[in-house]
């Protein structure tokens, strides 16, 4: 298997909330792309990246203000095709000699574009983008283009944007005031396909097979003869990292499964079976549950729970690294959204949202370099790579599971073995019923929560005073927003009946119907 350099598209980010969706759309077409913040892009960096085309994202700024984001002026003299989206269109127009103005007629949400003329951006698409057609789009703008730079023509208009789509065919510059990347522009993906394949000439040669070969080569070059230690939890990210690195360097990799006592039912055993028996990976399975539960004793604050678990995890890693004679590298399942957030020019989300997720932040005392072979991938691409590597579907398709495990699903309470056992059994029944009903793949994440509430109940002739549990199931595409899954009541009744009958210590079951926002997916 030899690695081939894929065609590349560069996305210059001006701060849009949906810039990641542009990258997703381009990759879905089979073309590799990266998002670079505008203030870290220069003529030299563009040449080094060697893209076949450039997309300018939307953003919250106004080109009319002083010191607002701009693309490098040199970009427009490099002979590269350029597609500007919303703010990206406006800054391209302003930089090339056109004019943008603020206007009373703003467009936010659904709008309609009337296609006025043909252009290469609309060629090769369905009849939806032919001259004379009217197409639904999603707008989000206050400013608008009012005059075009030399060489441009208008190819689409809307009620609030007389230059909703523009084209300079000679230089292969195109701009749209709307957002083709969102689902509210039903045929927007066709425009990206035509831009990257038809105009930029990309071949769509970026596949998980190609990425696998490229990543294996990169791992071998980075690691050399060094040793790598990998924390293996059984989650999608760590499992794919372990399988990929093992393919690259074999026994130079040692995986450490730290059983902190906070795993779900049967997970530790499954991980050991898959990686020892099927992949023949060097695996140390460390039962550190007593250590973790001892340090968590008496603690009810959620942030302190997370920090305690994270610090203890690192301590265990240091111990195991010393036992194998030291390690030069630590493998980590950093994904592309984490990378984008960490380099975002506007700072990204609060770092306290998930303090256990240690992206690029190893303590100096560990004296190990990072190997992060998934840092170019989105979550769905990681799953695809896992299938490419031969990981079992129950591992690859697994719902997201937090690093601190079940500890953050016992809110407002001390973590004890008794509570963990109750939650573990409840969760197992719930997930079993979801799978039996054929709903697992339709749900982004499902789990049970052991509430800090005791309720009165009646079982047989006796009165009970036991725990209440909450069930949670959400639909989402990326975890950034989510809605509750609309179970029918027959299903919920069946699950509740099984839990109350089979789990000693539970006498009440509730279902969480909170969306994100305003809530979070996890409870703590």
């Amino acid at each position: 298997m030899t690695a081939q350099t894929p065609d590349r598209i560069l996305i210059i980010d001006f701060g849009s909330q949906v810039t990641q969706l542009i990258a997703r759309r381009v990759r879905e077409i089979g073309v590799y792309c990266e998002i670079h913040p505008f203030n870290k892009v220069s003529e030299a960096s563009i040449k080094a990246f060697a893209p076949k085309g450039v997309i300018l994202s939307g953003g919250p700024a106004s080109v009319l203000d002083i010191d607002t984001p701009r693309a490098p002026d040199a970009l427009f003299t490099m002979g590269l095709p350029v597609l500007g989206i919303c703010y990206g269109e406006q800054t391209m127009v302003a930089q090339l000699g056109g004019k943008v103005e603020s206007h009373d007629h703003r467009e936010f949400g659904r709008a309609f574009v009337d296609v006025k003329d043909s252009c290469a951006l609309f060629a090769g698409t369905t009849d939806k983008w032919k001259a004379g057609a009217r197409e639904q789009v999603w707008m989000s703008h206050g400013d608008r283009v009012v005059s075009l730079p030399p060489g441009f023509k208008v190819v689409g208009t809307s009620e609030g944007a007389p230059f909703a789509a523009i084209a300079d065919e000679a230089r292969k510059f195109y701009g749209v005031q709307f957002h083709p990347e969102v689902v509210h522009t039903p045929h927007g993906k066709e425009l990206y396909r035509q831009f990257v394949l038809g105009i930029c000439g990309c071949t769509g040669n970026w596949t998980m097979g190609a990425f696998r070969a490229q990543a294996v080569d990169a791992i071998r070059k980075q690691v050399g003869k060094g040793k790598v230690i990998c924390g293996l939890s059984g989650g999608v990210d760590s499992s794919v990292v372990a399988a990929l690195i093992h393919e690259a360097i074999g026994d130079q990799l040692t995986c450490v499964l730290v059983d902190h006592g906070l795993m779900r039912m049967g997970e530790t055993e499954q991980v050991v079976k898959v990686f020892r028996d099927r992949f023949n990976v060097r695996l140390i399975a460390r039962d550190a549950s007593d250590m973790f539960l001892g340090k968590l004793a008496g603690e009810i604050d959620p942030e302190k729970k997370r920090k305690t678990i994270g610090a203890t995890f690192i301590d265990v890693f240091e111990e195991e690294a010393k036992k194998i004679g030291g390690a030069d590298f630590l493998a980590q399942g950093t994904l592309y959204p984490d990378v984008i957030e960490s380099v975002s020019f506007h700072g990204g989300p609060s770092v306290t949202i998930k303090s256990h997720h240690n992206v690029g932040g190893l303590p100096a005392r560990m004296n190990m370099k990072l190997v992060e072979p998934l840092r170019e991938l989105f979550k769905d691409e990681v799953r695809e790579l896992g299938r490419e590597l031969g990981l079992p579907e129950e591992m690859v398709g697994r719902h997201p599971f937090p690093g601190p495990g079940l500890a953050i699903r016992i809110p407002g309470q001390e973590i004890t073995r008794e509570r963990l056992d109750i939650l573990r059994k409840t969760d197992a029944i719930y997930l079993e019923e979801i799978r039996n009903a054929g709903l697992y793949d339709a749900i982004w994440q499902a789990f049970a929560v052991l509430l800090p509430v005791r309720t009165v109940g009646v079982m047989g002739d006796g009165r009970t005073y036991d725990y209440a549990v909450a069930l949670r199931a959400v639909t989402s595409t990326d975890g950034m927003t989510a809605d509750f899954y609309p179970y029918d009541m027959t299903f919920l009744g069946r699950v509740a009946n099984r839990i109350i009958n089979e789990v000693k210590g539970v006498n009440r079951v509730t279902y969480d119907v909170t969306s994100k926002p305003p809530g979070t997916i996890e409870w703590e």
Side-chain angles (χ1 to χ4, degrees):
M1 208 166 31
T2 57
Q4 296 180 342
T5 302
D7 295 332
R8 296 169 168 233
I9 294 292
L10 172 64
I11 300 168
I12 299 180
D13 182 21
F14 293 109
S16 170
Q17 296 295 314
V18 291
T19 300
Q20 287 191 33
L21 288 180
I22 300 176
R24 295 290 293 270
R25 298 296 171 257
V26 173
R27 291 192 180 186
E28 286 168 2
I29 298 165
V31 177
Y32 181 73
C33 63
E34 287 185 13
I35 298 171
H36 293 188
F38 81 93
N39 57 353
K40 293 181 171 62
V41 176
S42 64
E43 180 179 6
S45 71
I46 295 172
K47 288 180 178 178
F49 186 69
K52 299 197 77 172
V54 177
I55 298 173
L56 308 179
S57 86
S62 169
V63 297
L64 304 175
D65 295 336
I66 299 173
D67 296 329
T68 50
R70 293 289 188 271
D73 288 328
L75 168 65
F76 302 110
T77 64
M78 298 175 72
L80 292 170
V82 179
L83 172 62
I85 308 297
C86 196
Y87 180 89
E89 179 199 48
Q90 293 172 6
T91 192
M92 177 169 63
V93 165
Q95 289 181 245
L96 293 175
K99 189 175 182 181
V100 177
E101 288 183 352
S102 181
H103 198 271
D104 291 337
H105 192 131
R106 302 182 176 196
E107 289 180 306
F108 295 97
R110 187 175 66 171
F112 292 89
V113 166
D114 293 310
V115 180
K116 297 297 185 181
D117 201 351
S118 61
C119 70
L121 186 64
F122 296 158
T125 62
T126 68
D127 290 339
K128 296 290 184 180
W129 295 105
K130 300 298 183 184
R134 166 170 272 213
E135 183 64 10
Q136 178 183 314
V137 299
W138 189 70
M139 293 276 195
S140 180
H141 70 95
D143 299 343
R144 68 181 190 179
V145 176
V146 294
S147 67
L148 293 177
F152 279 85
K153 67 177 181 178
V154 59
V155 293
T157 65
S158 73
E159 185 177 351
F163 300 94
I166 59 175
D168 180 337
E169 302 279 38
R171 290 184 287 182
K172 297 184 178 179
F173 294 165
Y174 303 88
V176 293
Q177 186 60 71
F178 55 91
H179 289 268
E181 62 272 16
V182 302
V183 295
H184 306 89
T185 303
H187 297 94
K189 186 176 176 180
E190 296 176 14
L191 301 185
Y192 285 117
R193 178 181 296 277
Q194 180 60 17
F195 180 71
V196 299
L197 300 182
I199 295 171
C200 299
C202 296
T203 57
N205 61 352
W206 195 69
T207 64
M208 278 304 106
F211 177 84
R212 175 184 180 180
Q214 182 183 18
V216 165
D217 284 353
I219 292 165
R220 288 171 179 165
K221 289 175 182 176
Q222 181 186 4
V223 172
K225 297 183 180 298
K227 294 181 180 179
V228 180
I229 188 170
C230 175
L232 188 56
S233 68
V236 178
D237 303 339
S238 69
S239 297
V240 174
V241 165
L244 183 63
I245 295 178
H246 182 257
E247 180 172 291
I249 60 172
D251 286 347
Q252 290 171 248
L253 169 69
T254 300
C255 290
V256 177
L257 171 61
V258 178
D259 184 354
H260 46 27
L262 309 171
M263 304 279 272
R264 291 181 294 193
M265 188 173 289
E267 285 184 327
T268 299
E269 295 78 8
Q270 182 200 35
V271 174
V272 170
K273 183 176 181 180
V274 168
F275 282 92
R276 274 189 184 159
D277 300 348
R278 184 166 174 176
F279 284 91
N280 197 29
V281 172
R282 282 186 174 180
L283 174 61
I284 297 169
R286 168 78 178 272
D287 183 354
S289 57
D290 288 341
M291 179 190 298
F292 278 86
L293 293 180
K295 292 191 176 185
L296 288 168
E299 188 57 70
I300 63 172
D301 180 82
E303 192 60 21
K304 290 181 180 178
K305 287 178 186 177
R306 291 176 184 272
K307 290 181 177 178
T308 297
I309 293 167
T312 306
F313 195 86
I314 290 173
D315 289 341
V316 173
F317 249 92
E318 286 184 297
E319 290 179 16
E320 297 304 328
K322 290 176 182 176
K323 288 179 184 178
I324 64 173
D328 307 289
F329 297 89
L330 176 67
Q332 188 162 280
T334 306
L335 303 190
Y336 196 42
D338 303 318
V339 176
I340 295 168
E341 289 171 2
S342 69
V343 301
S344 171
F345 69 87
H346 48 70
S350 168
V351 294
T352 61
I353 292 173
K354 291 184 179 179
S355 59
H356 67 279
H357 192 59
N358 185 33
V359 180
L362 292 176
R365 70 175 188 271
M366 292 190 73
N367 196 30
M368 284 188 279
K369 299 176 183 177
L370 283 175
V371 181
E372 300 173 298
L374 307 183
R375 63 184 287 115
E376 298 173 351
L377 301 185
F378 289 101
K379 190 76 172 187
D380 57 331
E381 294 169 332
V382 174
R383 296 186 194 279
E384 187 179 346
L385 178 59
R387 296 182 182 99
E388 172 76 23
L389 290 164
L391 288 169
E393 186 60 35
E394 61 267 24
M395 190 171 279
V396 174
R398 181 186 184 211
H399 290 175
F401 189 62
L406 298 179
I408 63 172
R409 294 175 181 172
I410 306 179
Q413 305 167 83
E414 179 184 6
I415 308 302
T416 65
R417 288 192 185 275
E418 177 193 13
R419 289 178 178 134
L420 285 167
D421 286 343
I422 291 173
L423 180 57
R424 202 172 275 123
K425 292 173 184 175
T426 299
D427 195 73
I429 291 170
Y430 181 34
L431 293 179
E432 181 183 8
E433 287 295 330
I434 288 172
R435 287 191 172 95
N436 289 345
L439 300 175
Y440 191 84
D441 292 337
I443 294 170
W444 169 267
Q445 192 172 359
F447 55 90
V449 179
L450 185 66
L451 301 179
V453 176
R454 299 267 189 162
T455 71
V456 175
V458 177
M459 291 186 180
D461 295 325
R463 179 180 182 274
T464 62
Y465 191 63
D466 288 330
Y467 285 104
V469 297
L471 306 181
R472 181 84 158 131
V474 298
T475 57
S476 181
T477 56
D478 53 15
M480 300 300 291
T481 61
D483 202 359
F484 69 90
Y485 186 82
Y487 291 125
D488 65 62
M489 296 306 296
T490 302
F491 173 83
L492 285 174
R494 181 169 66 250
V495 174
N497 189 59
R498 276 199 63 189
I499 290 170
I500 291 169
N501 285 335
E502 297 178 33
V503 183
K504 186 177 180 180
V506 175
N507 68 359
R508 193 173 300 270
V509 177
T510 65
Y511 185 57
D512 181 356
V513 293
T514 312
S515 62
K516 176 188 178 183
T520 55
I521 294 177
E522 295 285 351
W523 275 49
E524 189 169 85

